[in-house]
Coordinates of all heavy atoms in Angstrom, one line a residue:
M26 N -65.3 49.8 -93.5 CA -64.0 50.1 -93.1 C -63.2 48.7 -92.7 O -62.1 48.5 -93.1 CB -63.9 51.2 -91.9 CG -62.5 51.4 -91.5 SD -62.5 52.5 -90.1 CE -61.3 53.7 -90.6
E27 N -64.1 47.8 -92.3 CA -63.4 46.6 -91.7 C -63.0 45.6 -92.9 O -62.1 45.0 -92.8 CB -64.4 45.8 -90.9 CG -64.5 46.3 -89.5 CD -65.6 47.4 -89.3 OE1 -66.4 47.5 -90.2 OE2 -65.5 48.2 -88.5
E28 N -63.6 45.9 -94.1 CA -63.3 45.0 -95.2 C -61.9 45.5 -95.8 O -61.3 44.7 -96.6 CB -64.3 45.1 -96.2 CG -64.6 46.4 -96.8 CD -65.7 47.1 -96.3 OE1 -66.3 46.7 -95.3 OE2 -66.1 48.2 -96.8
Y29 N -61.4 46.6 -95.5 CA -60.1 47.2 -95.9 C -59.0 47.0 -94.9 O -57.8 47.3 -95.2 CB -60.1 48.6 -96.4 CG -61.2 48.9 -97.3 CD1 -62.4 49.6 -97.1 CD2 -61.0 48.5 -98.7 CE1 -63.3 49.9 -98.1 CE2 -61.9 48.7 -99.7 CZ -63.0 49.4 -99.4 OH -63.9 49.6 -100.3
M30 N -59.1 46.4 -93.9 CA -58.1 46.0 -92.8 C -57.2 45.0 -93.2 O -57.5 44.0 -94.0 CB -58.7 45.7 -91.5 CG -59.5 46.8 -90.8 SD -60.0 46.2 -89.2 CE -60.8 47.7 -88.7
L31 N -55.9 45.2 -92.9 CA -54.9 44.3 -93.3 C -55.0 43.1 -92.3 O -55.1 43.2 -91.1 CB -53.5 44.9 -93.1 CG -53.2 46.1 -94.1 CD1 -52.0 46.8 -93.6 CD2 -53.1 45.7 -95.4
P32 N -54.8 41.8 -92.8 CA -54.8 40.7 -91.9 C -53.4 40.6 -91.1 O -52.4 41.1 -91.6 CB -54.9 39.6 -92.9 CG -54.3 40.0 -94.1 CD -54.6 41.5 -94.3
C33 N -53.5 40.0 -90.0 CA -52.3 39.7 -89.2 C -51.6 38.6 -89.8 O -52.1 37.4 -89.7 CB -52.6 39.5 -87.8 SG -51.1 39.1 -86.7
L34 N -50.5 38.8 -90.4 CA -49.9 37.7 -91.1 C -49.2 36.7 -90.1 O -49.1 35.5 -90.4 CB -48.6 38.3 -92.0 CG -49.0 39.0 -93.1 CD1 -47.8 39.6 -93.9 CD2 -49.9 38.3 -94.1
N35 N -48.8 37.2 -88.9 CA -48.3 36.3 -87.9 C -49.4 35.2 -87.4 O -49.2 34.0 -87.2 CB -47.7 37.0 -86.7 CG -47.0 36.3 -85.8 OD1 -46.2 35.4 -86.1 ND2 -47.1 36.5 -84.4
K36 N -50.6 35.8 -87.3 CA -51.7 34.9 -86.8 C -52.1 34.0 -88.0 O -52.5 32.9 -87.8 CB -52.8 35.9 -86.4 CG -54.0 35.0 -85.8 CD -55.0 35.9 -85.2 CE -56.2 35.2 -84.6 NZ -57.1 36.2 -83.9
K37 N -52.1 34.6 -89.2 CA -52.5 33.8 -90.4 C -51.6 32.5 -90.7 O -52.0 31.5 -91.0 CB -52.6 34.7 -91.7 CG -53.0 34.0 -92.9 CD -53.1 35.0 -93.9 CE -53.8 34.3 -95.2 NZ -53.9 35.4 -96.3
F38 N -50.3 32.8 -90.7 CA -49.2 31.7 -90.9 C -48.9 30.8 -89.7 O -48.6 29.6 -89.9 CB -48.0 32.4 -91.4 CG -48.2 33.0 -92.8 CD1 -47.7 34.3 -93.1 CD2 -48.9 32.4 -93.9 CE1 -47.9 34.9 -94.3 CE2 -49.1 32.9 -95.1 CZ -48.5 34.1 -95.3
F39 N -48.7 31.4 -88.5 CA -48.4 30.7 -87.4 C -49.5 30.5 -86.4 O -49.3 29.6 -85.5 CB -47.3 31.4 -86.7 CG -46.1 31.7 -87.6 CD1 -45.7 33.0 -87.8 CD2 -45.4 30.6 -88.0 CE1 -44.6 33.2 -88.6 CE2 -44.3 30.8 -88.8 CZ -43.9 32.2 -89.1
G40 N -50.7 31.0 -86.5 CA -51.8 30.8 -85.6 C -51.6 31.5 -84.2 O -52.5 31.3 -83.3
V41 N -50.7 32.3 -84.1 CA -50.5 33.1 -82.8 C -50.6 34.5 -83.0 O -50.0 35.0 -84.0 CB -49.0 32.7 -82.2 CG1 -48.7 33.4 -81.1 CG2 -48.8 31.2 -82.1
E42 N -51.3 35.1 -82.0 CA -51.3 36.6 -82.2 C -50.0 37.3 -82.0 O -49.3 36.8 -81.3 CB -52.4 37.2 -81.2 CG -53.8 36.7 -81.6 CD -54.9 37.3 -80.7 OE1 -54.6 38.1 -79.7 OE2 -56.1 37.1 -81.0
C43 N -49.9 38.5 -82.5 CA -48.7 39.4 -82.4 C -49.0 40.5 -81.4 O -50.1 40.6 -80.9 CB -48.2 39.8 -83.8 SG -49.4 41.1 -84.4
F44 N -48.0 41.1 -81.2 CA -48.2 42.4 -80.3 C -49.1 43.4 -80.7 O -49.7 44.2 -80.0 CB -46.8 43.0 -79.9 CG -45.9 42.1 -79.1 CD1 -44.8 41.6 -79.5 CD2 -46.2 42.0 -77.7 CE1 -44.0 40.8 -78.8 CE2 -45.4 41.1 -77.0 CZ -44.3 40.5 -77.4
G45 N -49.4 43.5 -82.0 CA -50.1 44.6 -82.6 C -51.5 44.2 -82.9 O -52.3 44.9 -83.4
C46 N -51.9 42.8 -82.7 CA -53.2 42.4 -83.0 C -54.2 43.2 -82.3 O -54.2 43.3 -80.9 CB -53.4 40.8 -82.6 SG -52.6 39.8 -84.0
G47 N -55.3 43.6 -82.9 CA -56.3 44.5 -82.3 C -56.2 46.0 -82.6 O -57.0 46.6 -82.3
M48 N -55.0 46.4 -82.9 CA -54.8 47.8 -83.1 C -55.6 48.3 -84.2 O -56.3 49.5 -84.1 CB -53.3 48.0 -83.4 CG -52.9 49.6 -83.3 SD -51.3 50.0 -83.7 CE -50.2 48.6 -83.2
Q49 N -55.7 47.7 -85.3 CA -56.5 48.3 -86.4 C -58.0 48.3 -86.0 O -58.7 49.3 -86.3 CB -56.3 47.4 -87.6 CG -55.1 47.6 -88.4 CD -55.1 46.8 -89.7 OE1 -55.5 47.3 -90.6 NE2 -54.7 45.5 -89.5
R50 N -58.4 47.2 -85.4 CA -59.9 47.2 -85.0 C -60.1 48.3 -83.8 O -61.2 48.8 -83.9 CB -60.2 45.8 -84.4 CG -60.2 44.7 -85.4 CD -60.6 43.4 -84.9 NE -59.9 42.9 -83.7 CZ -59.0 42.1 -83.8 NH1 -58.5 41.5 -84.9 NH2 -58.2 41.7 -82.7
A51 N -59.2 48.4 -83.0 CA -59.3 49.6 -82.0 C -59.4 50.9 -82.6 O -60.2 51.8 -82.2 CB -58.3 49.4 -81.0
L52 N -58.5 51.1 -83.5 CA -58.6 52.5 -84.3 C -59.9 52.6 -85.0 O -60.5 53.7 -85.0 CB -57.5 52.5 -85.3 CG -57.1 54.0 -85.7 CD1 -56.8 54.9 -84.7 CD2 -55.9 53.8 -86.7
A53 N -60.4 51.6 -85.6 CA -61.7 51.6 -86.3 C -62.8 52.0 -85.2 O -63.9 52.7 -85.5 CB -62.1 50.3 -87.0
L54 N -62.7 51.4 -84.1 CA -63.8 51.6 -83.0 C -63.6 52.9 -82.5 O -64.7 53.6 -82.2 CB -63.5 50.7 -81.8 CG -64.0 49.2 -82.0 CD1 -63.4 48.3 -80.9 CD2 -65.4 49.1 -82.2
I55 N -62.5 53.6 -82.5 CA -62.3 55.0 -82.2 C -63.0 55.9 -83.1 O -63.7 56.9 -82.8 CB -60.8 55.4 -82.0 CG1 -60.4 54.9 -80.7 CG2 -60.6 57.0 -81.9 CD1 -58.8 55.0 -80.5
F56 N -62.8 55.6 -84.4 CA -63.5 56.4 -85.5 C -65.1 56.2 -85.4 O -65.8 57.2 -85.8 CB -63.0 56.0 -86.8 CG -61.6 56.4 -87.2 CD1 -60.8 55.6 -87.9 CD2 -61.2 57.6 -86.8 CE1 -59.5 56.0 -88.1 CE2 -59.8 58.0 -87.0 CZ -59.0 57.2 -87.7
K57 N -65.5 55.1 -84.9 CA -67.0 54.9 -84.7 C -67.5 55.7 -83.5 O -68.6 55.8 -83.2 CB -67.3 53.5 -84.6 CG -67.1 52.8 -86.0 CD -67.5 51.3 -85.8 CE -67.4 50.6 -87.1 NZ -67.7 49.2 -86.8
G58 N -66.6 56.1 -82.5 CA -67.0 56.7 -81.3 C -67.1 55.8 -80.1 O -67.6 56.1 -79.1
E59 N -66.7 54.5 -80.3 CA -66.7 53.5 -79.2 C -65.3 53.5 -78.5 O -64.6 52.6 -78.6 CB -67.2 52.1 -79.9 CG -68.5 52.2 -80.6 CD -68.8 50.9 -81.2 OE1 -68.0 49.9 -81.2 OE2 -69.8 51.0 -81.9
F60 N -65.3 54.4 -77.6 CA -63.9 54.5 -77.0 C -63.5 53.6 -76.0 O -62.4 53.1 -75.9 CB -63.8 56.0 -76.4 CG -64.0 57.1 -77.5 CD1 -65.2 57.9 -77.4 CD2 -63.1 57.4 -78.4 CE1 -65.4 58.9 -78.3 CE2 -63.4 58.3 -79.4 CZ -64.5 59.2 -79.3
V61 N -64.5 53.2 -75.2 CA -64.3 52.2 -74.2 C -64.0 50.7 -74.8 O -63.0 50.1 -74.4 CB -65.5 52.0 -73.2 CG1 -65.4 51.0 -72.3 CG2 -65.7 53.3 -72.5
Q62 N -64.8 50.5 -75.9 CA -64.6 49.1 -76.6 C -63.1 49.2 -77.2 O -62.5 48.1 -77.4 CB -65.7 49.0 -77.6 CG -66.9 48.6 -77.0 CD -67.8 49.9 -76.6 OE1 -67.3 51.0 -76.9 NE2 -69.0 49.7 -76.1
A63 N -62.7 50.3 -77.7 CA -61.4 50.4 -78.3 C -60.3 50.2 -77.3 O -59.3 49.5 -77.6 CB -61.2 51.8 -79.0
F64 N -60.5 50.6 -76.1 CA -59.6 50.3 -74.9 C -59.4 48.9 -74.7 O -58.4 48.4 -74.4 CB -59.8 51.2 -73.8 CG -58.9 50.9 -72.6 CD1 -57.6 51.5 -72.5 CD2 -59.3 50.1 -71.5 CE1 -56.9 51.1 -71.5 CE2 -58.6 49.8 -70.5 CZ -57.3 50.3 -70.6
Y65 N -60.7 48.2 -74.6 CA -60.7 46.8 -74.3 C -60.0 46.0 -75.5 O -59.5 45.0 -75.1 CB -62.1 46.4 -73.9 CG -62.7 46.7 -72.6 CD1 -63.8 47.5 -72.5 CD2 -61.8 46.6 -71.5 CE1 -64.2 47.9 -71.3 CE2 -62.3 47.0 -70.3 CZ -63.5 47.6 -70.2 OH -63.9 48.1 -69.0
M66 N -60.2 46.4 -76.6 CA -59.8 45.7 -77.8 C -58.2 45.8 -77.9 O -57.5 44.8 -78.0 CB -60.3 46.3 -79.0 CG -59.7 45.7 -80.3 SD -60.3 44.1 -80.6 CE -62.0 44.2 -80.8
Y67 N -57.7 47.1 -77.5 CA -56.2 47.2 -77.6 C -55.8 48.4 -76.6 O -55.9 49.6 -76.8 CB -55.7 47.6 -79.0 CG -54.2 47.5 -79.2 CD1 -53.7 46.2 -79.3 CD2 -53.4 48.6 -79.1 CE1 -52.2 46.2 -79.5 CE2 -52.0 48.5 -79.4 CZ -51.5 47.4 -79.5 OH -50.1 47.2 -79.7
P68 N -55.4 47.9 -75.3 CA -55.3 48.9 -74.3 C -54.2 50.0 -74.5 O -54.3 51.0 -73.9 CB -54.9 48.0 -73.1 CG -55.3 46.7 -73.4 CD -55.2 46.5 -74.9
A69 N -53.3 49.8 -75.3 CA -52.3 50.7 -75.6 C -52.6 51.8 -76.7 O -51.7 52.6 -77.0 CB -50.9 50.1 -76.0
I70 N -53.9 51.8 -77.2 CA -54.2 52.5 -78.4 C -54.1 54.0 -78.1 O -53.5 54.8 -78.8 CB -55.7 52.3 -78.9 CG1 -55.9 52.8 -80.2 CG2 -56.7 52.5 -77.9 CD1 -55.1 52.4 -81.4
Y71 N -54.5 54.5 -76.9 CA -54.5 55.9 -76.6 C -53.2 56.4 -76.3 O -52.9 57.6 -76.7 CB -55.5 56.3 -75.4 CG -56.9 56.0 -75.8 CD1 -57.6 55.0 -75.1 CD2 -57.6 56.7 -76.7 CE1 -59.0 54.6 -75.4 CE2 -58.9 56.4 -77.1 CZ -59.5 55.3 -76.5 OH -60.8 55.1 -76.8
T72 N -52.3 55.6 -75.6 CA -51.0 56.1 -75.4 C -50.1 56.1 -76.7 O -49.2 56.8 -76.8 CB -50.3 55.2 -74.3 OG1 -50.4 53.9 -74.7 CG2 -50.9 55.5 -72.8
L73 N -50.5 55.1 -77.5 CA -49.7 55.1 -78.9 C -50.1 56.4 -79.8 O -49.2 56.9 -80.3 CB -50.1 53.9 -79.6 CG -49.4 52.7 -79.3 CD1 -49.9 51.4 -80.0 CD2 -47.9 52.8 -79.6
I74 N -51.4 56.8 -79.7 CA -51.9 57.9 -80.4 C -51.1 59.1 -79.8 O -50.7 60.0 -80.6 CB -53.5 58.1 -80.3 CG1 -54.1 57.0 -81.1 CG2 -53.8 59.5 -80.8 CD1 -55.6 56.9 -81.0
L75 N -51.1 59.3 -78.6 CA -50.3 60.3 -77.9 C -48.8 60.4 -78.3 O -48.3 61.4 -78.6 CB -50.5 60.3 -76.4 CG -49.7 61.4 -75.5 CD1 -50.3 62.7 -76.0 CD2 -50.0 61.0 -74.0
L76 N -48.3 59.2 -78.3 CA -46.8 59.1 -78.7 C -46.6 59.4 -80.1 O -45.7 60.2 -80.4 CB -46.3 57.7 -78.5 CG -44.9 57.3 -78.8 CD1 -44.0 58.2 -77.8 CD2 -44.6 55.9 -78.7
V77 N -47.5 59.1 -81.0 CA -47.4 59.5 -82.4 C -47.6 61.1 -82.5 O -46.8 61.7 -83.3 CB -48.4 58.7 -83.3 CG1 -48.5 59.3 -84.8 CG2 -48.1 57.3 -83.4
V78 N -48.3 61.6 -81.8 CA -48.6 63.1 -81.9 C -47.3 63.7 -81.4 O -46.8 64.8 -82.0 CB -49.8 63.5 -81.1 CG1 -49.9 65.0 -80.8 CG2 -51.1 63.0 -81.8
L79 N -46.8 63.3 -80.2 CA -45.7 63.9 -79.6 C -44.4 63.8 -80.5 O -43.5 64.6 -80.7 CB -45.4 63.4 -78.3 CG -46.5 63.8 -77.2 CD1 -46.2 63.3 -75.9 CD2 -46.5 65.4 -77.1
I80 N -44.3 62.5 -81.2 CA -43.1 62.3 -82.0 C -43.2 63.4 -83.2 O -42.2 63.9 -83.8 CB -43.0 61.0 -82.4 CG1 -42.5 60.0 -81.3 CG2 -42.1 60.8 -83.6 CD1 -42.6 58.7 -81.6
T81 N -44.4 63.6 -83.8 CA -44.7 64.4 -84.8 C -44.3 65.9 -84.5 O -43.6 66.6 -85.3 CB -46.1 64.4 -85.4 OG1 -46.5 63.0 -85.8 CG2 -46.3 65.2 -86.6
I82 N -44.7 66.3 -83.3 CA -44.5 67.7 -82.7 C -42.8 67.7 -82.6 O -42.4 68.8 -83.1 CB -45.1 68.0 -81.5 CG1 -46.6 68.2 -81.8 CG2 -44.7 69.2 -80.8 CD1 -47.4 68.1 -80.6
N83 N -42.2 66.7 -82.1 CA -40.8 66.9 -81.8 C -40.0 66.8 -83.1 O -38.9 67.3 -83.2 CB -40.4 65.5 -81.0 CG -39.0 65.7 -80.4 OD1 -38.6 66.9 -80.2 ND2 -38.4 64.6 -80.2
A84 N -40.6 66.4 -84.2 CA -40.0 66.3 -85.4 C -39.8 67.7 -86.0 O -38.9 68.0 -86.7 CB -40.7 65.4 -86.5
F85 N -40.9 68.5 -85.7 CA -40.7 69.9 -86.2 C -40.1 70.8 -85.4 O -39.5 71.8 -85.6 CB -42.2 70.5 -86.5 CG -42.9 69.8 -87.7 CD1 -43.9 68.8 -87.4 CD2 -42.4 69.9 -89.0 CE1 -44.5 68.2 -88.6 CE2 -43.0 69.2 -90.0 CZ -44.1 68.3 -89.9
K86 N -40.2 70.6 -83.9 CA -39.6 71.4 -82.9 C -38.8 70.5 -82.1 O -39.4 70.0 -81.1 CB -40.8 72.1 -82.2 CG -40.3 73.0 -81.1 CD -41.5 73.8 -80.3 CE -40.9 74.5 -79.2 NZ -41.9 75.1 -78.4
N87 N -37.5 70.5 -82.3 CA -36.6 69.5 -81.5 C -36.4 70.1 -80.2 O -35.8 71.3 -79.9 CB -35.4 69.4 -82.2 CG -34.6 68.2 -81.8 OD1 -35.1 67.6 -80.9 ND2 -33.5 68.0 -82.4
N88 N -36.9 69.4 -79.1 CA -36.9 69.9 -77.7 C -36.4 68.7 -76.8 O -36.8 67.6 -77.0 CB -38.2 70.3 -77.3 CG -38.2 70.9 -76.0 OD1 -37.4 70.9 -75.2 ND2 -39.4 71.6 -75.6
K89 N -35.3 68.9 -76.0 CA -34.8 67.9 -75.2 C -35.9 67.3 -74.2 O -36.0 66.1 -74.1 CB -33.6 68.3 -74.5 CG -32.4 68.5 -75.3 CD -31.2 68.8 -74.4 CE -29.9 69.0 -75.3 NZ -28.8 69.2 -74.5
L90 N -36.7 68.2 -73.6 CA -37.7 67.7 -72.6 C -38.8 66.8 -73.4 O -39.1 65.8 -72.9 CB -38.4 68.9 -72.1 CG -39.7 68.5 -71.1 CD1 -38.9 67.7 -69.9 CD2 -40.3 69.8 -70.7
L91 N -39.1 67.2 -74.6 CA -40.1 66.5 -75.3 C -39.4 65.2 -75.8 O -40.2 64.1 -75.8 CB -40.5 67.3 -76.6 CG -41.8 66.8 -77.3 CD1 -42.9 66.7 -76.3 CD2 -42.1 67.8 -78.4
S92 N -38.2 65.2 -76.1 CA -37.4 63.9 -76.4 C -37.5 63.0 -75.2 O -37.7 61.7 -75.3 CB -36.1 64.1 -76.8 OG -36.0 64.9 -78.1
K93 N -37.3 63.4 -73.9 CA -37.4 62.6 -72.7 C -38.8 62.1 -72.5 O -38.9 60.9 -72.1 CB -36.9 63.4 -71.6 CG -35.4 63.6 -71.6 CD -34.9 64.3 -70.4 CE -33.4 64.6 -70.4 NZ -33.0 65.4 -69.3
I94 N -39.7 63.0 -72.8 CA -41.2 62.5 -72.7 C -41.5 61.3 -73.7 O -42.1 60.4 -73.2 CB -42.1 63.6 -72.8 CG1 -42.0 64.7 -71.7 CG2 -43.5 63.2 -72.9 CD1 -42.6 66.0 -71.8
N95 N -40.9 61.5 -74.9 CA -41.2 60.5 -75.9 C -40.7 59.2 -75.5 O -41.2 58.2 -75.8 CB -40.7 60.9 -77.2 CG -41.6 62.1 -77.9 OD1 -42.6 62.3 -77.5 ND2 -40.9 62.7 -78.8
T96 N -39.4 59.2 -74.9 CA -38.7 58.1 -74.6 C -39.4 57.3 -73.4 O -39.7 56.2 -73.5 CB -37.3 58.4 -74.1 OG1 -36.6 59.0 -75.2 CG2 -36.5 57.1 -73.7
T97 N -39.9 58.2 -72.4 CA -40.6 57.5 -71.4 C -41.9 57.0 -71.8 O -42.3 56.0 -71.4 CB -40.9 58.7 -70.3 OG1 -39.6 59.2 -69.9 CG2 -41.6 57.9 -69.0
L98 N -42.7 57.7 -72.7 CA -43.9 57.2 -73.2 C -43.7 55.9 -74.0 O -44.5 55.1 -74.0 CB -44.6 58.3 -74.0 CG -46.0 58.1 -74.3 CD1 -47.0 57.8 -73.1 CD2 -46.6 59.2 -75.1
A99 N -42.7 56.0 -74.8 CA -42.3 54.8 -75.5 C -42.2 53.5 -74.6 O -42.6 52.4 -74.9 CB -41.1 54.9 -76.4
V100 N -41.5 53.6 -73.5 CA -41.2 52.6 -72.6 C -42.5 52.1 -72.0 O -42.8 51.0 -71.8 CB -40.2 53.0 -71.5 CG1 -40.2 51.9 -70.3 CG2 -38.8 53.1 -72.1
V101 N -43.3 53.1 -71.5 CA -44.7 52.8 -71.0 C -45.6 52.0 -71.9 O -46.2 51.1 -71.6 CB -45.4 54.1 -70.5 CG1 -46.9 53.9 -70.1 CG2 -44.6 54.7 -69.4
N102 N -45.5 52.5 -73.2 CA -46.2 51.8 -74.2 C -45.7 50.5 -74.4 O -46.6 49.5 -74.6 CB -46.2 52.5 -75.6 CG -47.1 53.5 -75.8 OD1 -48.3 53.4 -75.5 ND2 -46.7 54.7 -76.3
A103 N -44.5 50.2 -74.4 CA -43.9 48.7 -74.5 C -44.4 48.0 -73.4 O -44.8 46.7 -73.5 CB -42.4 48.8 -74.6
I104 N -44.5 48.5 -72.2 CA -45.0 47.8 -71.0 C -46.4 47.4 -71.1 O -46.8 46.3 -70.8 CB -44.6 48.6 -69.6 CG1 -43.1 48.6 -69.4 CG2 -45.4 47.9 -68.4 CD1 -42.6 49.5 -68.2
I105 N -47.2 48.3 -71.4 CA -48.6 48.1 -71.7 C -48.9 47.0 -72.6 O -49.6 46.2 -72.5 CB -49.4 49.5 -72.1 CG1 -49.4 50.4 -70.8 CG2 -50.8 49.2 -72.4 CD1 -49.8 51.8 -71.3
I106 N -48.2 47.2 -73.9 CA -48.3 46.2 -75.0 C -48.0 44.8 -74.5 O -48.7 43.7 -74.7 CB -47.5 46.6 -76.2 CG1 -48.3 47.9 -76.8 CG2 -47.6 45.4 -77.3 CD1 -47.3 48.5 -77.9
I107 N -46.8 44.6 -73.9 CA -46.3 43.4 -73.4 C -47.3 42.7 -72.3 O -47.6 41.6 -72.4 CB -44.9 43.3 -72.8 CG1 -44.0 43.7 -74.1 CG2 -44.4 42.1 -72.2 CD1 -42.5 44.0 -73.5
C108 N -47.8 43.6 -71.4 CA -48.6 43.1 -70.2 C -50.1 42.7 -70.8 O -50.5 41.5 -70.5 CB -48.7 44.2 -69.2 SG -47.4 44.4 -68.1
S109 N -50.6 43.4 -71.9 CA -51.9 43.1 -72.4 C -51.7 41.8 -73.4 O -52.6 41.1 -73.5 CB -52.4 44.2 -73.2 OG -51.6 44.6 -74.3
F110 N -50.5 41.6 -73.8 CA -50.3 40.4 -74.7 C -50.2 39.1 -73.8 O -50.7 38.2 -74.2 CB -48.9 40.6 -75.5 CG -48.6 39.4 -76.4 CD1 -49.2 39.3 -77.6 CD2 -47.6 38.4 -76.1 CE1 -49.0 38.3 -78.4 CE2 -47.3 37.4 -76.8 CZ -48.0 37.2 -78.1
I111 N -49.6 39.3 -72.7 CA -49.5 38.1 -71.8 C -50.8 37.8 -71.2 O -51.3 36.7 -71.1 CB -48.4 38.4 -70.7 CG1 -47.0 38.5 -71.3 CG2 -48.5 37.4 -69.7 CD1 -46.1 38.9 -70.3

């Protein structure tokens, strides 16, 4: 699976990691069953998976409460990603 991963163009061209660096590797670790290592690789992976699931549910069933939860979870994800990047 690792040989099919996309390279980080930001890291390749500029030598600096981006906010998403580690996400693909963390997802690969989840598929392998290495859940703790996936968290250490990319701390926002589980909240991002939850956010994608809730956004998908909200696409089919439009609910105001679910929209507020999605907004709150998106802000929490942004905070986690920025803090782990720093």
Side-chain angles (χ1 to χ4, degrees):
M26 180 184 233
E27 285 86 19
E28 63 263 8
Y29 298 112
M30 288 188 183
L31 299 171
C33 177
L34 296 177
N35 194 37
K36 188 173 183 177
K37 185 176 182 179
F38 292 130
F39 302 115
V41 179
E42 290 187 357
C43 67
F44 289 111
C46 278
M48 190 181 331
Q49 288 183 88
R50 293 185 304 257
L52 197 56
L54 288 170
I55 288 174
F56 288 141
K57 290 181 183 177
E59 299 174 5
F60 301 111
V61 175
Q62 290 85 0
F64 176 77
Y65 287 128
M66 179 67 64
Y67 195 74
I70 190 69
Y71 296 114
T72 54
L73 280 174
I74 291 171
L75 179 62
L76 181 63
V77 167
V78 168
L79 291 177
I80 288 173
T81 305
I82 292 170
N83 195 29
F85 293 110
K86 182 181 177 184
N87 198 359
N88 187 346
K89 285 187 178 186
L90 178 63
L91 196 55
S92 296
K93 289 182 182 181
I94 293 172
N95 286 343
T96 304
T97 305
L98 193 55
V100 170
V101 169
N102 274 316
I104 292 169
I105 292 171
I106 290 169
I107 291 170
C108 288
S109 66
F110 181 76
I111 294 172

